[in-house]
Every structure is written in structure tokens, then in C-alpha cells.
Amino acid sequence: MITVRHLNNSRSQRILWLLEELGLPYEIKRYQRDPKTMLAPASLRAVHPLGKSPVITDGALTLAESGAIVEYLIDQYGGGRLAPAPGTPERLRYTYWLHYAEGSAMPPLLLKLVFDTIEKSPMPFFVKPIARAISGKAKSAFIVPQIKQHLDYLEGELGKSPWFAGSEFSGADIQMSFPLEAAAARAGLDQGRPHLMDFLARIHARPAYQRALEKGGEYALLG
């Protein structure tokens, strides 16, 4: 039995979704973020040294990192589903987007979240203007332009094909869901980029996505 170490409002939601798409039985072990720090609980370190989610166990195997988990589950249990055939241009795009999601799309979104948090955090009154000025400069000079560049790029890519790897829905779309949901929730993704918003609408309408949402519980990234 596959076990998903599921942290609320996290990347592990898309692993539940993948398992629902594959129709695989699985068990959920739930963990809650600290309401003040929003960090994962220390108990996750008993499963994996980094103490982060998602982590799955499958027999003797313990595996972390969303992209690695997506690849493993599809290769092991997909039976040709949710991944283009090896050696095709679509397979190369599939692999690219699996890595792009965390390697390129998420860093500026995470930086924005960090600086937004700094601006809202309690601090001595004489420090607050300085902290806000530094944060505002970092966001306006680097973070926001980077996010815009990525969103413009993604909008153009989904103008070429309905799904990230091509004409068929794949694990790449599941992997890309998290940065796009994060962008829609807190980084300005809106109807000004219709291809991306249509993508989000289509994935949210999938029955497997809905089942995963019911089983996973709270998912504030949806806004």
C-alpha cells in the first residue's frame, strides 16, 4: 500500500491527485503546519531527514520530492498512462516541465511569499519602514518582474497546445498545477492570461482532482 505523508496546503496535494488519476489505492498520513510559522511539524523528520512534504512510502521505499514521486508513480504504475512515449518530442517536453515547475517557476513565487510575510510580520515601529522599503525594492526590482516573465512564458506555451506536454493530459500538468495555483492565489495570475486560467479551470473540473481535494482537506492555495 502506498502511503502519502500529506501536509495541508502543500505540494503533497498534487500527489493525491496523481494517485486518483491512476486509480491506485493509498493511505494518507496527515500533518498540519504550525499556525504561526506555517512550517511542517518536526514529526515529518522521522519519515525523511528534511522534514518536508510530500513524502511517499511504497513498501521498503521512501521517496521525497514532487517531481521524483510523479515520475516514480507513473513509471511504476502508469502502464503507459500520463506520460508520452519515450523518444518522442512530447516526452522531452514532459520531462522539461516536471523539472521546470520546481527549478524555475517556484523560486520567485517563494521569494514573494517570504517578502510579503516580512512586510506583515510584527516588528518594532522604527524598523518597520526600513524592512518594508527593502522588501518593496526587492519585489519591484527582481521578484515581480521575474514572476511576470515566467507567467508570460507559460501563457505563450499553453497557447501552442492544450496541455504542457502536448495534446494529452500528463503528469507534467499535475506537476505544473502547484506553481500556477500559487500564482493565482498570491502573485497576480488572473484573466489577463486566459490560457493559464483556462488550464486551471480544466484541471479543477477533473473528477480525480475533485476526489483528491475531498480526501486531502484544506487547500488554501485555491484562494
Side-chain angles (χ1 to χ4, degrees):
M1 172 73 75
I2 297 167
T3 299
V4 181
R5 310 291 173 156
H6 176 55
L7 181 67
N8 63 306
N9 296 335
S10 79
R11 293 158 169 83
S12 57
Q13 182 64 39
R14 61 187 166 186
I15 303 305
L16 302 183
W17 176 21
L18 172 59
L19 289 164
E20 290 292 335
E21 292 281 357
L22 292 172
L24 295 175
Y26 62 94
E27 178 184 11
I28 299 175
K29 295 286 188 182
R30 299 180 185 276
Y31 299 82
Q32 291 292 315
R33 294 182 182 275
D34 183 290
K36 292 183 179 179
T37 66
M38 296 306 293
L39 297 175
S43 55
L44 263 174
R45 286 199 294 272
V47 183
H48 189 278
L50 293 180
K52 295 185 181 296
S53 178
V55 176
I56 67 164
T57 53
D58 186 14
L61 173 71
T62 297
L63 186 62
E65 290 295 335
S66 301
I69 294 170
V70 169
E71 283 198 85
Y72 168 77
L73 291 173
I74 290 174
D75 289 348
Q76 190 77 7
Y77 299 107
R81 295 172 293 165
L82 299 184
T88 62
E90 290 78 10
R91 183 58 172 251
L92 183 58
R93 286 179 59 81
Y94 164 84
T95 303
Y96 171 78
W97 293 114
L98 283 179
H99 290 275
Y100 171 92
E102 294 295 333
S104 295
M106 280 307 300
L109 291 168
L110 180 58
L111 282 172
K112 185 176 185 300
L113 175 63
V114 169
F115 280 100
D116 285 348
T117 302
I118 289 172
E119 291 179 357
K120 297 173 185 175
S121 297
M123 62 186 75
F125 74 92
F126 56 87
V127 174
K128 185 169 290 189
I130 300 172
R132 285 182 172 172
I134 293 172
S135 174
K137 183 64 175 177
K139 289 197 295 185
S140 64
F142 175 72
I143 298 169
V144 172
Q146 278 287 302
I147 292 172
K148 180 181 183 303
Q149 184 178 18
H150 281 284
L151 292 179
D152 288 346
Y153 168 57
L154 294 169
E155 176 72 11
E157 290 299 300
L158 279 184
K160 300 173 185 177
S161 60
W163 301 107
F164 276 102
S167 61
E168 300 294 329
F169 174 80
S170 75
D173 301 296
I174 294 174
Q175 182 72 346
M176 283 297 299
S177 66
F178 188 84
L180 289 177
E181 287 176 333
R186 54 178 181 251
L189 173 56
D190 59 21
Q191 295 299 333
R193 294 184 175 89
H195 293 303
L196 294 181
M197 294 304 290
D198 177 66
F199 170 83
L200 288 176
R202 284 184 287 124
I203 65 171
H204 293 163
R206 293 181 72 87
Y209 185 99
Q210 293 293 328
R211 292 195 300 272
L213 202 60
E214 291 174 6
K215 294 179 181 179
E218 178 189 3
Y219 193 48
L221 289 183
L222 295 177

